[in-house]
Amino acid sequence: MASSQEHTVKAFDQDIGQLRGLISQMGGLAEAAIGNAMLALQRGDHELAAQVRADDKKIDAIQHEVERAVVRIIALRAPMANDLREVVAALKIATVVERIGDYAKNIAKRVPQIESEHRIDPISTLPAMARMASDMVRDVLDAFAARDPDAAIAICERDDALDDFYDSIFRTLVTYMVENPKTISQCAHLLFVAKHLERIGDHATNVAEMIHFAAHGTPIAERDRSDDVATSPFSSRS
Amino acid sequence: MASSQEHTVKAFDQDIGQLRGLISQMGGLAEAAIGNAMLALQRGDHELAAQVRADDKKIDAIQHEVERAVVRIIALRAPMANDLREVVAALKIATVVERIGDYAKNIAKRVPQIESEHRIDPISTLPAMARMASDMVRDVLDAFAARDPDAAIAICERDDALDDFYDSIFRTLVTYMVENPKTISQCAHLLFVAKHLERIGDHATNVAEMIHFAAHGTPIAERDRSDDVATSPFSSRS
């Protein structure tokens, strides 16, 4: 009887290991997508942008694989309590990573819309923001792989810095648009690129919260996330 | 033995009924949030906007309740096959509806940022787009409650119309910004409002696809969703 239980525990551990492996794979692809999308933006590289868009299907495919694996694990192993929460967390995290991949794809989609002849200065501020967001994705998925819920807390604090970065880029772009009305259309797309990067950071933070909750059963202490809305140069911070 | 099986089936049906009820509740709150956020925007009503932001917590609370209920149902009923897929679908749909509520909250957050003294004409185009998006949310959740996967297909077609609406508003706003540079900051926020509405439509479409997949086991026929990127007046449609 004992060896049968051991067999079941080992089988479940293998299953969870498989889920974690798939999520790590997705994470690597999502990080690469962010990097390549930003490179394509910097260079005005339509081919690389098209490649990012095509590669997004791989991320979606792995997310579907995670979903099928989760349903199979639940049916076969009947996990309870912590094990069940871990499986549900894996399902939710895979969904979030797929969304991060979508934001990278959306950045790539905008590359053809951003005129490459007249270099728009504010473009040069975006790669640093992209690296911050991409590092948050990498680190939160490392925390997931290492089963380190406390590393997850640090990700949330970095999200505040990323939001500040977004606010600053928003103001810079609005000022630039006022001074260079011929670039308004392209700058509007850059506003969205900055917003996509800010959302990637938010999603990394969501994953951190899922990791923490799955491990501790409590949410990370309530943060007042007055995010999403950049202040304009004409009104005070709300 | 037969009556014990009947008891189990009845208990599971009750559980699924509970999940569906919670999701309907969330849906109603999300629709109200979209309507109130747009009303607050039209009126420049900061109080109503603050109310929408506060009410978002109710949507989040129900989503957490769905999650706990799903874990409990899986643990207690050990659902198999179709039943298990239905429970997983409910979990995923609740997550998407919570995101729709977030977009409504984000629209409300921008109300203070959009100066109310100088009426910006393009604001008047947004309520029609909001109604389209909100109707998609209402109808897809009706399809879920009625277990009608074919109604779900119709939602996807409406998403194309919503994307066209977004493209048109994008162009209108860019033109307006060029002609009225003093309004660039506020118009940037309106661009995001339009984008939030377009994303709400996308999410309603995601729910439609989940309903269809849970019922038929196959995705809705591949749609080329060249969404998200509006064309500028200066370049041809990509």
Side-chain angles (χ1 to χ4, degrees):
Chain A
M1 201 51 192
S3 62
S4 166
Q5 281 172 352
E6 279 171 17
H7 175 74
T8 304
V9 166
K10 280 203 182 110
F12 180 77
D13 284 347
Q14 270 175 356
D15 292 333
I16 281 289
Q18 180 204 12
L19 285 182
R20 288 170 175 277
L22 289 170
I23 288 170
S24 286
Q25 228 182 310
M26 283 178 78
L29 289 171
E31 282 174 62
I34 298 168
N36 286 332
M38 293 307 298
L39 203 55
L41 187 71
Q42 286 288 99
R43 293 178 183 165
D45 187 341
H46 295 209
E47 266 196 56
L48 182 56
Q51 189 61 49
V52 172
R53 294 178 67 174
D55 286 349
D56 184 65
K57 291 185 173 37
K58 297 179 193 171
I59 297 177
D60 293 351
I62 302 177
Q63 194 264 327
H64 287 132
E65 213 183 314
V66 168
E67 215 166 289
R68 285 192 300 268
V70 163
V71 171
R72 194 181 65 239
I73 290 169
I74 290 174
L76 284 179
R77 311 287 177 219
M80 293 289 139
N82 283 348
D83 287 347
L84 180 55
R85 269 191 292 275
E86 194 168 353
V87 171
V88 170
L91 177 66
K92 293 172 62 181
I93 288 170
T95 305
V96 173
V97 176
E98 191 263 333
R99 298 195 62 74
I100 289 172
D102 278 350
Y103 280 117
K105 177 181 73 175
N106 288 343
I107 291 171
K109 273 181 170 177
R110 295 183 187 277
V111 168
Q113 302 295 332
I114 297 164
E115 182 62 46
S116 54
E117 286 181 25
H118 314 288
R119 212 76 204 108
I120 300 169
D121 295 340
I123 280 186
S124 64
T125 54
L126 291 169
M129 188 183 174
R131 269 189 299 277
M132 281 179 74
S134 182
D135 286 352
M136 287 171 69
V137 173
R138 179 201 62 206
D139 293 346
V140 83
L141 292 178
D142 282 352
F144 176 62
R147 290 175 147 107
D148 185 354
D150 298 314
I153 300 178
I155 308 290
C156 299
E157 284 147 17
R158 286 155 71 182
D159 196 44
D160 291 336
L162 192 73
D163 290 348
D164 288 343
F165 208 142
Y166 170 74
D167 284 353
S168 153
I169 289 176
F170 184 97
R171 283 192 297 269
T172 300
L173 278 164
V174 166
T175 306
Y176 192 85
M177 285 156 103
V178 172
E179 294 168 358
N180 303 272
K182 285 200 169 84
T183 68
I184 283 177
S185 180
Q186 295 98 309
C187 285
H189 285 290
L190 291 178
L191 274 175
F192 283 115
V193 170
K195 171 55 72 172
H196 294 330
L197 294 174
E198 189 257 342
R199 294 298 289 153
I200 287 170
D202 282 347
H203 284 311
T205 306
N206 286 346
V207 174
E209 286 171 349
M210 289 173 193
I211 293 170
H212 188 275
F213 186 81
H216 294 305
T218 58
I220 296 177
E222 276 313 305
R223 297 168 57 246
D224 177 20
R225 291 209 269 145
S226 307
D227 46 47
D228 284 341
V229 184
T231 56
S232 79
F234 310 111
S235 56
S236 59
R237 203 177 184 82
S238 58
Chain B
M1 202 48 192
S3 64
S4 168
Q5 282 171 352
E6 278 170 18
H7 175 75
T8 304
V9 166
K10 279 203 183 109
F12 179 78
D13 284 347
Q14 270 177 357
D15 292 333
I16 280 290
Q18 181 203 11
L19 285 182
R20 287 169 175 276
L22 289 172
I23 288 170
S24 286
Q25 229 182 309
M26 283 178 79
L29 290 172
E31 282 172 64
I34 297 167
N36 286 332
M38 293 307 298
L39 203 55
L41 187 70
Q42 288 287 101
R43 293 176 182 166
D45 187 340
H46 294 210
E47 264 194 58
L48 182 55
Q51 189 62 49
V52 172
R53 293 178 67 174
D55 286 349
D56 185 64
K57 290 184 173 38
K58 297 179 193 171
I59 298 177
D60 292 353
I62 301 177
Q63 194 265 326
H64 287 133
E65 212 183 317
V66 169
E67 215 166 289
R68 285 192 300 269
V70 163
V71 171
R72 194 181 65 240
I73 290 168
I74 291 174
L76 284 179
R77 312 287 177 219
M80 293 289 140
N82 282 350
D83 287 346
L84 180 54
R85 269 191 293 273
E86 195 169 351
V87 170
V88 170
L91 178 65
K92 292 172 62 180
I93 289 169
T95 305
V96 173
V97 176
E98 191 264 333
R99 296 194 62 75
I100 289 172
D102 279 350
Y103 280 117
K105 178 181 73 176
N106 287 344
I107 291 171
K109 272 181 170 176
R110 295 184 187 277
V111 168
Q113 301 296 333
I114 297 163
E115 183 62 46
S116 55
E117 285 181 27
H118 314 288
R119 211 74 203 109
I120 300 169
D121 295 340
I123 280 187
S124 63
T125 54
L126 291 169
M129 189 183 174
R131 269 189 298 276
M132 279 180 74
S134 182
D135 286 353
M136 286 172 69
V137 174
R138 178 201 63 205
D139 292 346
V140 83
L141 292 178
D142 282 352
F144 175 63
R147 289 175 148 109
D148 185 354
D150 298 315
I153 300 177
I155 308 289
C156 299
E157 285 147 18
R158 285 155 72 181
D159 195 44
D160 292 335
L162 192 74
D163 290 348
D164 289 342
F165 208 142
Y166 170 74
D167 284 354
S168 151
I169 289 177
F170 184 97
R171 282 192 298 269
T172 300
L173 278 165
V174 166
T175 306
Y176 193 85
M177 285 157 103
V178 173
E179 293 168 1
N180 303 272
K182 285 200 169 81
T183 67
I184 284 176
S185 180
Q186 295 97 308
C187 285
H189 284 289
L190 291 177
L191 274 175
F192 283 116
V193 170
K195 171 56 71 172
H196 294 328
L197 294 174
E198 189 257 341
R199 294 300 287 152
I200 286 171
D202 281 347
H203 283 311
T205 306
N206 286 345
V207 173
E209 286 172 349
M210 289 173 193
I211 292 170
H212 189 276
F213 187 80
H216 295 305
T218 58
I220 297 177
E222 275 313 304
R223 297 169 57 245
D224 177 20
R225 292 209 271 145
S226 309
D227 46 51
D228 283 341
V229 184
T231 56
S232 79
F234 310 111
S235 56
S236 59
R237 202 179 184 81
S238 58

